[in-house]
Amino acid sequence: MGLMTPQQYKESLNDGRVIYYKGERVENVTTHPDLAQCANLMALDYGMAEDPQYRDIAVMTDPDTGEEISRYYHKPTNSEDLLKAYELIVKATELGDGYIPLAHDIGADALNAISITTHNMGEAGKEYHQRIEDYRRHLKATDIATCAGVTDVKGNRMLRPSDPKQSHPDFYVRKVKETKEGIIVRGAKVHITGAAYCNDIFVIPCRQMTENDADYAVAFSIPANTPGIRQICRPFTAHISPLEFPNTRPVRVHTDSLIIFDDVLVPWDRVFLNGEWQHAATMVYNFALMHRRTGCAYRVPMSEQFLGLGAAIAEYNGIANAPHVKEKLTELVLYLETLRSLSKAACYDFVMHGEIAVPNPVSTNIAKYHFATKYHDVVRIIQDLAGGLLVTAPTYKDFKHPDLHDDIKKYLGGNSAVSTEKRLRMFDLIRRLTSDDLETIALHGEGSPFGQRMTVLMEARHIIKKCKKIAEELAEV
Ligand SMILES: Cc1cc2nc3c(=O)[nH]c(=O)nc-3n(C[C@H](O)[C@H](O)[C@H](O)COP(=O)(O)OP(=O)(O)OC[C@H]3O[C@@H](n4cnc5c(N)ncnc54)[C@H](O)[C@@H]3O)c2cc1C
C-alpha cells in the first residue's frame, strides 16, 4: 500500500483482463509490442512521484492522514489545489513529449464529479457520498490507475436511452438486475482512453436522463479484470515507418477502448448512483467541467510544440522575416497564450460545487472551445509555412541511398544555415503531429464543441443579464 512504483504499476496490469487489439487477444498489455508503450507512458506518472525533481508537484501530504499521496486524488478545495493539479498535468505532458501519461487525471475528474453530485443529493445521496469518499481513501492508499467511461455508444443520438425506437435497449450502460451482492450492468462505453492499462474504470452516465431512463442512471467503479468486461482497443501508429527519419516518438501513444459490459456484477460498495435519474446531468456536467480543465492542461505543451514547428520550418525555409510569415507566427502565439491564460484564469477564478473547488465554468469551456475550434487553423498555418515537400519529399531510405544522397542534399536545401537533413526531419515531424487522428482528438476529446457553446451560454446567464441592464441604463429605458 502507498504510492506505487512504475514497476509495481506495470506488474499490477497482468491480471487476466480481457483485451483485444488488432483482432487478437492480448495476454499481457505490458509485454505487447504496441500496448507496452502505452503502459510505459502511464508509468511516467508513477516515475514523477519518485523523481526528486518532480516529487513536490506530484506528491503531497494527505491533510486527513498525514500520509504521502498522489496529488491527483486529493479533493481540491481552493485555487492553489486547482493550479497545482493543472501544473502537474502540464509537466507530465511535457515529460511525455506531448503525450499524456493520464494514469490518474481522468479518473480523478470522475471521482470529483461523483463526489460533488452525491454531496448535492443531500439525504438521498448520503450513503453514495460515504461510498465515494471511502473509495477516494482507497485510491489514495493504493495509488492505482483509473480512467473514466463516460461516453456511451448511444445508437440513434436523437433518441433517449429508454426510447423503444432504439433498435435495442443496450446503447447506454444500464442496470439489468439487483442482487444481494450489488447491481448487474450491461451495455458498452466507447472511446475510453487508457482503459486497457488502468486498474479501475469509473462509469458515469453521459447525458441527462428522464424517469423512464432510471435504469440508465448508474455510476460505479470496477476493476478492469472483472468477469464480463471485454475491451476492444483501437490501433495506433506505435512505430515510425522505416521510410521516415528515425525518431523514438510514435504518432500517438494511447489506445481508446470499446468496453463491453456483459452482465457485470458491481458490488454495492462501488455503486455511486443507482436509478436517481434527476442527478445524472449534474454528474456528467461536473465531469465535463473538471475534465475540460484537464484537457486544456494537456494542450498547453502540445500548442508549444505547434508554435515551435511553425517557427522552425519558417526558419529552415528561409522565410522567417517575410511579413505574412510573421503574421502567421503571431496567430500561433495568440493560440497558445490565449489557451494558457484562460486555463490558469479558470483555476484562480474557481467556484465551489459543494465541498469541491471547480475551475470557472465559463473560462474553462471557452478555453476548450478555443483550442478545439482553432486547432485546424493552426494546422493549416503550419502546413502552409512548410510547403508541399511536407507530402512529396523523398523518404529517409532515399536520403540514405549512396546514389541519391548528394542530389537530395543539394536540391532540397532551404536556408543555407540549416542542413537539408534537419529540414527533412522537421517535415516528418510536422506530418506526424498534424495528422488527421490528432485533428479528431482535438475536436471531440473532452466533448464536441457544441457542448462547450451550450455550457458557456448557460453559465453566462448572469453575465448576459448584467450586461443587458447596463445597456438599458445607458438607453434610459
Ligand atoms: C481520442 C478520443 C479520446 C476520448 N476519450 C474518452 C474517454 O477517455 N472517456 C470518455 O468517456 N469519452 C472519451 N472520448 C469521447 C468524447 O467525449 C466524445 O467523442 C464526444 O463526446 C463526442 O461523442 P461521439 O464521439 O459519440 O460523437 P457524437 O455524439 O455522435 O457527435 C457527433 C456529432 O453529433 C452531434 N450530436 C450528438 N448528439 C446530438 C443530439 N442529440 N442532437 C443534436 N446533435 C447531436 C454532436 O454535436 C456532433 O457534432 C474520447 C474521444 C476521442 C476522440
Side-chain angles (χ1 to χ4, degrees):
M1 296 282 256
L3 294 170
M4 270 207 271
T5 65
Q7 195 50 33
Q8 284 168 335
Y9 154 69
K10 286 196 252 176
E11 282 163 8
S12 73
L13 301 177
N14 189 12
D15 58 2
R17 60 188 58 208
V18 180
I19 306 288
Y20 286 85
Y21 185 78
K22 294 187 182 171
E24 286 173 12
R25 174 86 192 263
V26 175
E27 283 312 317
N28 179 352
V29 290
T30 64
T31 53
H32 184 275
D34 288 6
L35 296 176
Q37 296 199 38
C38 308
N40 288 338
L41 176 66
M42 298 278 271
L44 273 183
D45 237 359
Y46 292 99
M48 284 179 80
E50 289 190 322
D51 187 331
Q53 222 186 320
Y54 307 114
R55 197 173 168 80
D56 267 5
I57 179 104
V59 177
M60 63 178 286
T61 304
D62 187 350
D64 300 330
T65 63
E67 300 287 323
E68 286 195 315
I69 55 164
S70 163
R71 184 176 298 282
Y72 288 108
Y73 293 142
H74 169 62
K75 188 191 279 188
T77 57
N78 52 45
S79 63
E80 193 191 335
D81 286 342
L82 290 173
L83 268 171
K84 287 218 160 131
Y86 161 82
E87 280 161 14
L88 173 56
I89 300 166
V90 169
K91 185 48 75 185
T93 310
E94 280 171 7
L95 284 178
D97 285 339
Y99 300 127
I100 319 145
L102 43 88
H104 305 89
D105 52 84
I106 307 184
D109 293 336
L111 171 69
N112 289 324
I114 295 171
S115 179
I116 291 169
T117 311
T118 53
H119 179 268
N120 285 357
M121 286 167 75
E123 204 47 38
K126 215 166 166 190
E127 195 174 340
Y128 294 132
H129 195 62
Q130 182 67 40
R131 287 180 194 165
I132 190 69
E133 289 303 323
D134 283 348
Y135 185 60
R136 185 191 294 276
R137 280 184 275 281
H138 168 75
L139 293 177
K140 286 176 181 175
T142 57
D143 196 25
I144 57 174
T146 50
C147 64
V150 183
T151 312
D152 290 278
V153 284
K154 296 185 283 207
N156 184 331
R157 269 78 178 135
M158 299 305 283
L159 301 178
R160 306 207 64 79
S162 60
D163 194 313
K165 291 205 270 312
Q166 292 274 21
S167 57
H168 63 71
D170 299 327
F171 280 122
Y172 290 76
V173 170
R174 66 180 175 125
K175 174 182 72 175
V176 287
K177 208 160 106 186
E178 276 187 19
T179 71
K180 248 188 13 243
E181 288 77 33
I183 59 173
I184 311 282
V185 295
R186 186 184 302 160
K189 293 280 183 183
V190 66
H191 316 295
I192 311 308
T193 311
Y197 33 90
C198 271
N199 302 101
D200 278 14
I201 303 165
F202 274 105
V203 169
I204 67 172
C206 78
R207 60 178 294 165
Q208 175 199 43
M209 301 282 173
T210 63
E211 195 170 354
N212 287 341
D213 303 318
D215 286 342
Y216 298 86
V218 284
F220 54 89
S221 74
I222 190 89
N225 66 345
T226 304
I229 296 182
R230 287 194 299 282
Q231 297 192 36
I232 306 168
C233 302
R234 174 75 192 168
F236 61 100
T237 313
H239 305 279
I240 298 293
S241 147
L243 296 178
E244 290 181 60
F245 281 79
N247 190 304
T248 50
R249 305 172 85 257
V251 174
R252 186 170 181 243
V253 200
H254 274 302
T255 175
D256 314 290
S257 297
L258 171 64
I259 309 179
I260 295 151
F261 296 87
D262 198 357
D263 289 6
V264 174
L265 170 68
V266 183
W268 284 116
D269 62 343
R270 295 287 188 263
V271 176
F272 310 125
L273 196 70
N274 177 26
E276 294 81 0
W277 56 272
Q278 306 89 329
H279 301 284
T282 311
M283 206 173 271
V284 63
Y285 172 82
N286 278 288
F287 173 76
L289 184 51
M290 303 297 283
H291 191 47
R292 282 173 195 160
R293 183 282 317 258
T294 300
C296 291
Y298 303 153
R299 299 287 160 176
V300 168
M302 293 179 191
S303 306
E304 286 176 341
Q305 290 180 354
F306 280 151
L307 174 56
L309 292 179
I313 204 63
E315 184 192 316
Y316 295 4
N317 283 345
I319 55 173
N321 290 322
H324 81 95
V325 174
K326 286 185 181 165
E327 275 298 303
K328 287 177 176 130
L329 291 179
T330 309
E331 285 301 317
L332 299 184
V333 175
L334 290 174
Y335 179 75
L336 166 65
E337 295 304 333
T338 304
L339 173 61
R340 198 196 316 263
S341 320
L342 281 170
S343 308
K344 285 179 118 170
C347 297
Y348 284 112
D349 196 15
F350 70 99
V351 290
M352 291 303 289
H353 283 186
E355 305 166 316
I356 292 186
V358 300
N360 185 283
V362 175
S363 21
T364 301
N365 276 283
I366 296 177
K368 157 67 180 103
Y369 184 76
H370 162 75
F371 86 62
T373 54
K374 295 254 183 312
Y375 182 89
H376 298 74
D377 297 344
V378 164
V379 166
R380 180 175 44 74
I381 288 173
I382 296 165
Q383 292 173 343
D384 181 0
L385 295 174
L389 276 176
L390 196 53
V391 291
T392 64
T395 69
Y396 172 65
K397 281 200 165 174
D398 298 313
F399 186 73
K400 289 309 256 186
H401 195 291
D403 297 348
L404 308 175
H405 179 80
D406 288 349
D407 278 344
I408 294 176
K409 199 171 154 201
K410 174 177 171 187
Y411 291 111
L412 295 190
N415 179 345
S416 59
V418 176
S419 71
T420 301
E421 176 171 345
K422 254 180 143 179
R423 189 165 178 243
L424 295 179
R425 277 182 179 274
M426 193 56 71
F427 285 137
D428 274 356
L429 181 64
I430 293 176
R431 215 169 25 247
R432 285 197 294 275
L433 291 186
T434 60
S435 72
D436 298 352
D437 270 16
L438 300 177
E439 291 192 14
T440 306
I441 296 168
L443 212 51
H444 289 293
E446 300 95 35
S448 312
F450 184 62
Q452 287 105 63
R453 289 186 75 95
M454 276 191 338
T455 314
V456 167
L457 185 64
M458 187 180 80
E459 290 287 349
R461 272 174 313 200
H462 65 286
I463 304 175
I464 296 171
K465 200 170 158 194
K466 184 179 144 201
C467 296
K468 181 168 157 263
K469 194 156 171 266
I470 294 172
E472 285 173 345
E473 276 170 17
L474 289 175
E476 297 178 358
V477 296

Coordinates of all heavy atoms in Angstrom, one line a residue, residues 106 147-154 157-159 189-194 207 252 256 287 291 437 440-451, ligand 1:
I106 N -7.8 11.5 -15.5 CA -9.2 11.4 -16.0 C -10.0 10.8 -14.9 O -11.2 11.2 -14.6 CB -9.3 10.6 -17.3 CG1 -8.3 11.2 -18.3 CG2 -10.7 10.6 -17.8 CD1 -8.4 10.5 -19.7
C147 N -9.5 5.3 -15.0 CA -9.9 6.1 -16.2 C -11.4 6.3 -16.1 O -12.0 5.8 -15.1 CB -9.6 5.3 -17.5 SG -10.5 3.7 -17.6
A148 N -12.0 7.0 -17.1 CA -13.4 7.3 -17.0 C -14.2 6.9 -18.2 O -13.9 7.3 -19.3 CB -13.6 8.8 -16.8
G149 N -15.1 6.0 -18.0 CA -16.0 5.5 -19.0 C -17.3 6.4 -19.0 O -18.2 6.1 -18.2
V150 N -17.3 7.4 -19.8 CA -18.5 8.3 -19.8 C -19.3 8.1 -21.1 O -20.5 7.9 -21.0 CB -18.0 9.8 -19.6 CG1 -19.2 10.7 -19.6 CG2 -17.1 10.0 -18.5
T151 N -18.6 8.2 -22.2 CA -19.3 8.2 -23.5 C -19.9 6.8 -23.8 O -19.2 5.8 -23.9 CB -18.4 8.6 -24.6 OG1 -17.7 9.7 -24.2 CG2 -19.1 8.9 -25.9
D152 N -21.3 6.8 -23.9 CA -22.0 5.5 -24.3 C -21.9 5.4 -25.8 O -21.7 6.4 -26.5 CB -23.4 5.6 -23.8 CG -23.5 5.4 -22.3 OD1 -23.5 4.3 -21.8 OD2 -23.6 6.5 -21.6
V153 N -22.2 4.2 -26.3 CA -22.3 4.1 -27.8 C -23.5 4.8 -28.4 O -23.5 5.2 -29.5 CB -22.2 2.6 -28.2 CG1 -20.8 2.0 -28.0 CG2 -23.2 1.7 -27.4
K154 N -24.5 4.9 -27.6 CA -25.7 5.8 -27.9 C -26.7 5.5 -29.0 O -27.8 6.0 -29.0 CB -25.2 7.3 -28.1 CG -24.5 7.9 -26.9 CD -24.1 9.3 -27.1 CE -22.9 9.5 -28.0 NZ -22.1 10.7 -27.8
R157 N -28.6 9.1 -31.9 CA -28.4 10.2 -31.0 C -29.6 11.0 -30.6 O -29.6 11.7 -29.6 CB -27.3 11.2 -31.6 CG -25.9 10.8 -31.3 CD -25.4 9.7 -32.1 NE -24.0 9.4 -31.8 CZ -23.5 8.2 -31.6 NH1 -24.2 7.2 -31.7 NH2 -22.2 8.1 -31.4
M158 N -30.6 11.0 -31.5 CA -31.8 11.8 -31.2 C -32.8 11.1 -30.3 O -33.8 11.7 -29.9 CB -32.5 12.3 -32.5 CG -31.6 13.1 -33.5 SD -30.9 14.6 -32.7 CE -32.4 15.6 -32.7
L159 N -32.5 9.9 -30.0 CA -33.5 9.1 -29.1 C -32.9 8.9 -27.7 O -31.7 8.8 -27.6 CB -33.7 7.7 -29.8 CG -34.3 7.7 -31.2 CD1 -34.4 6.3 -31.7 CD2 -35.6 8.4 -31.2
K189 N -19.3 1.2 -23.3 CA -18.8 2.6 -23.4 C -17.8 2.6 -24.5 O -17.1 1.6 -24.8 CB -18.1 2.9 -22.0 CG -19.1 3.0 -20.9 CD -19.9 4.4 -20.8 CE -20.8 4.5 -19.6 NZ -21.6 5.7 -19.6
V190 N -17.6 3.8 -25.1 CA -16.7 3.8 -26.3 C -15.7 4.9 -26.2 O -16.0 5.9 -25.5 CB -17.6 3.9 -27.6 CG1 -18.3 5.3 -27.7 CG2 -16.8 3.7 -28.8
H191 N -14.6 4.8 -26.9 CA -13.5 5.8 -26.9 C -12.8 5.9 -25.6 O -12.2 7.0 -25.3 CB -14.0 7.3 -27.2 CG -15.0 7.6 -28.2 ND1 -14.8 7.4 -29.5 CD2 -16.2 8.2 -28.1 CE1 -15.8 7.8 -30.2 NE2 -16.7 8.3 -29.4
I192 N -12.8 4.9 -24.7 CA -12.3 5.1 -23.3 C -10.8 5.0 -23.3 O -10.2 3.9 -23.4 CB -13.0 4.2 -22.3 CG1 -14.5 4.2 -22.5 CG2 -12.6 4.6 -20.9 CD1 -15.1 5.6 -22.5
T193 N -10.2 6.2 -23.2 CA -8.7 6.3 -23.3 C -8.0 5.6 -22.1 O -8.4 5.9 -21.0 CB -8.2 7.7 -23.4 OG1 -9.0 8.4 -24.4 CG2 -6.8 7.9 -23.8
G194 N -7.1 4.8 -22.4 CA -6.2 4.2 -21.3 C -6.9 3.1 -20.5 O -6.2 2.5 -19.6
R207 N -25.3 11.6 -20.2 CA -26.3 12.6 -20.5 C -27.3 12.8 -19.4 O -27.3 12.0 -18.5 CB -26.9 12.3 -21.8 CG -27.7 10.9 -21.7 CD -28.4 10.6 -23.0 NE -29.5 11.5 -23.2 CZ -30.1 11.7 -24.4 NH1 -29.7 10.9 -25.4 NH2 -31.1 12.5 -24.5
R252 N 1.0 8.4 -31.9 CA 0.2 8.6 -30.7 C 0.5 7.5 -29.7 O 0.7 6.3 -30.2 CB -1.3 8.6 -31.1 CG -2.2 9.0 -29.9 CD -3.7 9.2 -30.3 NE -4.4 9.6 -29.2 CZ -5.4 8.8 -28.7 NH1 -5.9 7.8 -29.3 NH2 -6.1 9.2 -27.6
D256 N -7.8 3.8 -27.4 CA -9.1 4.0 -26.8 C -9.9 2.8 -26.9 O -10.0 2.2 -28.0 CB -9.8 5.2 -27.5 CG -8.8 6.4 -27.7 OD1 -8.4 7.0 -26.7 OD2 -8.3 6.6 -28.8
F287 N -18.3 16.3 -14.5 CA -17.1 15.6 -15.1 C -16.6 16.5 -16.2 O -15.4 16.7 -16.3 CB -17.6 14.2 -15.6 CG -16.4 13.6 -16.4 CD1 -15.3 13.1 -15.7 CD2 -16.5 13.6 -17.7 CE1 -14.3 12.5 -16.4 CE2 -15.4 13.0 -18.5 CZ -14.3 12.5 -17.8
H291 N -12.9 17.9 -16.5 CA -12.1 17.2 -17.5 C -11.7 18.2 -18.6 O -10.6 18.0 -19.2 CB -12.8 16.0 -18.1 CG -12.0 15.2 -18.9 ND1 -10.7 14.8 -18.5 CD2 -12.1 14.7 -20.2 CE1 -10.1 14.1 -19.5 NE2 -10.9 14.1 -20.5
D437 N -5.8 11.9 -37.3 CA -6.2 11.4 -36.0 C -6.2 12.5 -34.9 O -7.1 12.6 -34.1 CB -5.1 10.4 -35.5 CG -5.5 9.0 -36.0 OD1 -6.3 8.9 -36.9 OD2 -4.9 8.0 -35.4
T440 N -9.0 15.0 -35.1 CA -10.3 14.5 -34.5 C -10.3 14.5 -33.0 O -11.2 14.9 -32.3 CB -10.6 13.1 -35.0 OG1 -10.5 13.1 -36.4 CG2 -12.0 12.6 -34.6
I441 N -9.1 14.1 -32.4 CA -9.0 14.2 -31.0 C -9.2 15.6 -30.4 O -9.9 15.8 -29.5 CB -7.6 13.6 -30.5 CG1 -7.4 12.2 -30.9 CG2 -7.4 13.8 -29.0 CD1 -6.0 11.6 -30.8
A442 N -8.6 16.6 -31.1 CA -8.7 17.9 -30.6 C -10.2 18.4 -30.7 O -10.7 19.0 -29.8 CB -7.9 18.9 -31.5
L443 N -10.9 17.9 -31.7 CA -12.3 18.4 -31.8 C -13.2 17.7 -30.8 O -14.0 18.3 -30.1 CB -12.8 18.0 -33.3 CG -13.8 18.9 -33.9 CD1 -13.4 20.4 -33.8 CD2 -13.9 18.5 -35.4
H444 N -13.1 16.3 -30.7 CA -14.1 15.6 -29.9 C -13.6 15.2 -28.5 O -14.5 14.9 -27.7 CB -14.6 14.4 -30.7 CG -15.4 14.7 -31.9 ND1 -16.7 15.2 -31.7 CD2 -15.2 14.6 -33.2 CE1 -17.2 15.4 -32.9 NE2 -16.3 15.0 -33.8
G445 N -12.3 15.1 -28.3 CA -11.8 14.7 -26.9 C -12.4 15.8 -26.0 O -12.5 16.9 -26.3
E446 N -12.8 15.3 -24.8 CA -13.4 16.2 -23.7 C -14.7 16.8 -24.2 O -15.2 17.8 -23.7 CB -12.5 17.4 -23.3 CG -11.1 16.9 -22.7 CD -10.0 16.9 -23.7 OE1 -10.0 17.7 -24.6 OE2 -9.2 16.0 -23.7
G447 N -15.3 16.2 -25.2 CA -16.7 16.6 -25.7 C -16.6 17.5 -26.9 O -15.7 18.3 -27.1
S448 N -17.6 17.3 -27.8 CA -17.7 18.0 -29.1 C -18.0 19.5 -28.8 O -18.6 19.9 -27.8 CB -18.8 17.5 -30.0 OG -18.7 16.1 -30.0
P449 N -17.5 20.4 -29.7 CA -17.6 21.9 -29.4 C -19.0 22.4 -29.1 O -19.1 23.3 -28.3 CB -17.1 22.5 -30.8 CG -16.2 21.4 -31.4 CD -16.8 20.1 -31.0
F450 N -20.0 21.8 -29.7 CA -21.4 22.3 -29.4 C -21.6 22.3 -27.9 O -22.3 23.1 -27.3 CB -22.4 21.5 -30.2 CG -23.8 22.1 -30.0 CD1 -24.1 23.4 -30.4 CD2 -24.8 21.4 -29.4 CE1 -25.3 24.0 -30.2 CE2 -26.1 21.9 -29.2 CZ -26.3 23.2 -29.6
G451 N -21.1 21.2 -27.2 CA -21.3 21.1 -25.8 C -20.7 22.3 -25.0 O -21.3 22.8 -24.0
Ligands
LIG1 C1 -9.4 10.4 -28.9 C2 -10.6 10.5 -28.0 C3 -10.5 10.1 -26.7 C4 -11.6 10.1 -25.9 N1 -11.5 9.7 -24.6 C5 -12.6 9.5 -23.8 C6 -12.6 8.9 -22.5 O1 -11.5 8.6 -22.0 N2 -13.7 8.7 -21.8 C7 -14.9 9.0 -22.4 O2 -15.9 8.8 -21.7 N3 -15.0 9.6 -23.6 C8 -13.9 9.8 -24.4 N4 -14.0 10.4 -25.6 C9 -15.3 10.7 -26.1 C10 -15.6 12.1 -26.4 O3 -16.0 12.8 -25.3 C11 -16.7 12.0 -27.5 O4 -16.1 11.7 -28.7 C12 -17.5 13.3 -27.7 O5 -18.3 13.5 -26.5 C13 -18.5 13.1 -28.9 O6 -19.3 12.0 -28.8 P1 -19.3 10.9 -30.0 O7 -17.9 10.6 -30.4 O8 -20.2 9.8 -29.6 O9 -19.9 11.8 -31.2 P2 -21.5 12.1 -31.4 O10 -22.1 12.3 -30.1 O11 -22.0 11.1 -32.3 O12 -21.3 13.5 -32.1 C14 -21.2 13.7 -33.5 C15 -22.0 15.0 -33.8 O13 -23.4 14.8 -33.5 C16 -23.8 15.9 -32.7 N5 -24.9 15.3 -31.8 C17 -24.7 14.3 -31.0 N6 -25.9 14.1 -30.3 C18 -26.8 15.0 -30.7 C19 -28.1 15.3 -30.4 N7 -28.8 14.6 -29.5 N8 -28.7 16.3 -31.1 C20 -28.0 17.1 -32.0 N9 -26.7 16.8 -32.3 C21 -26.1 15.8 -31.7 C22 -22.6 16.4 -32.0 O14 -22.7 17.8 -31.5 C23 -21.5 16.2 -33.0 O15 -21.5 17.3 -33.9 C24 -12.9 10.5 -26.4 C25 -13.0 10.9 -27.8 C26 -11.8 10.9 -28.5 C27 -12.0 11.3 -30.0

